[in-house]
Amino acid sequence: MNPDVLAVIPARGGSKGIPGKNLKLLGGKPLLAHSVHAARAAHCVARVLLSTDDPGIAESGKACGAEVPFLRPANLATDTSPVIDAVEHLLAAQVSLPEFILLLQPTSPFRTAEDIDAAFNLMRSARADAIVSVTEAKDHPLLCKKMDFRGRLVPYVESPLNATRRQDLPPAYVPNGAIYLIKTDVLLSARAWCPSGTCAYVMPPERSLDLDTPDDFEWAEWLFHRREQGGGQ
């Protein structure tokens, strides 16, 4: 029996950090195309739907293989609109609900089809309700500091460990934004992508880049160029 995984790619037209980012070319393809192609190549994904309020993004999404059944209403495409509202809007129009929802943000272009399938396999083996992709934190929380009211440095988090070097501390992880995989009924009841009991799918830093700024985009372009020149990822 084939997995019933619906991949949803949210790509609204407005973007302040990187203007027009979803259609901005990266490695010779629109940014959103990287997520569409990864989803379509994943064995566990049954369908790939694009949620957008922008006709140009819709046409680009269709051209690279995503379904765009309708445009997202403007009230669900503001700077403060929760992504889950857009997903629920898509689900309300489906004849039947899929068993799993896979949220793929276009700002994670280095996530691969192999990552998606590995996350799904982990979900099955761990019998988890949800999987969130993570990468090891660059700045360990037990080494971070804050200032008290006098401006003196104090630990941000009190630790029972008497360690001052990163390598002496247990690994710390942060969500990288690449993969959110969850049972549909859990998503609709919890209205959260990382409910209690969520398991982590660990990804390396080179596939965990999340594009938020023009500098991020320039770095991503360099990485793509390096890969094309045979330097790998």
Side-chain angles (χ1 to χ4, degrees):
M1 181 177 178
N2 292 328
D4 186 16
V5 178
L6 174 64
V8 177
I9 299 174
R12 66 187 184 88
S15 174
K16 294 180 179 178
I18 307 174
K21 69 180 177 184
N22 288 308
L23 295 182
K24 189 176 176 65
L25 295 182
L26 179 65
K29 299 187 293 187
L31 179 62
L32 68 88
H34 296 280
S35 292
V36 174
H37 292 163
R40 284 175 54 84
H43 297 296
C44 70
V45 174
R47 298 175 63 197
V48 182
L49 267 61
L50 178 69
S51 173
T52 184
D53 61 315
D54 186 283
I57 292 177
E59 289 305 312
S60 181
K62 291 177 183 177
C64 58
E67 298 178 48
V68 190
F70 42 72
L71 293 181
R72 193 194 309 181
N75 66 304
L76 299 181
T78 68
D79 290 340
T80 58
S81 299
V83 174
I84 190 170
D85 289 351
V87 173
E88 287 180 334
H89 177 252
L90 274 178
L91 291 177
Q94 304 306 306
V95 175
S96 60
L97 293 180
E99 186 176 359
F100 306 97
I101 295 293
L102 171 67
L103 183 72
L104 300 176
Q105 300 184 112
T107 47
S108 297
F110 292 101
R111 166 230 306 113
T112 67
E114 290 75 20
D115 285 319
I116 294 171
D117 283 327
F120 182 78
N121 291 336
L122 174 61
M123 179 181 233
R124 282 284 176 86
S125 64
R127 298 183 179 180
D129 287 339
I131 296 289
V132 169
S133 60
V134 302
T135 193
E136 192 166 352
K138 293 180 181 178
D139 301 312
H140 201 288
L142 295 183
L143 296 179
C144 291
K145 305 292 184 182
K146 62 182 176 181
M147 290 188 293
D148 66 12
F149 69 99
R150 292 181 180 178
R152 296 175 301 189
L153 285 176
V154 295
Y156 196 89
V157 179
E158 293 293 340
S159 171
L161 302 175
N162 184 22
T164 58
R165 302 187 310 165
R166 178 190 179 96
Q167 56 265 43
D168 296 330
L169 296 169
Y173 299 95
V174 293
N176 65 2
I179 294 173
Y180 294 91
L181 177 62
I182 188 169
K183 292 180 179 178
T184 303
D185 58 346
V186 174
L187 176 65
L188 295 178
S189 60
R191 298 200 87 249
W193 296 102
C194 190
S196 176
T198 296
C199 287
Y201 170 67
V202 182
M203 292 174 59
E206 61 268 21
R207 295 205 305 278
S208 296
L209 184 61
D210 187 11
L211 308 186
D212 288 327
T213 69
D215 286 345
D216 292 337
F217 216 99
E218 288 185 12
W219 177 236
E221 281 282 18
W222 184 87
L223 289 174
F224 266 103
H225 178 73
R226 180 170 175 265
R227 184 175 63 179
E228 290 171 359
Q229 296 300 316
Q233 290 189 41

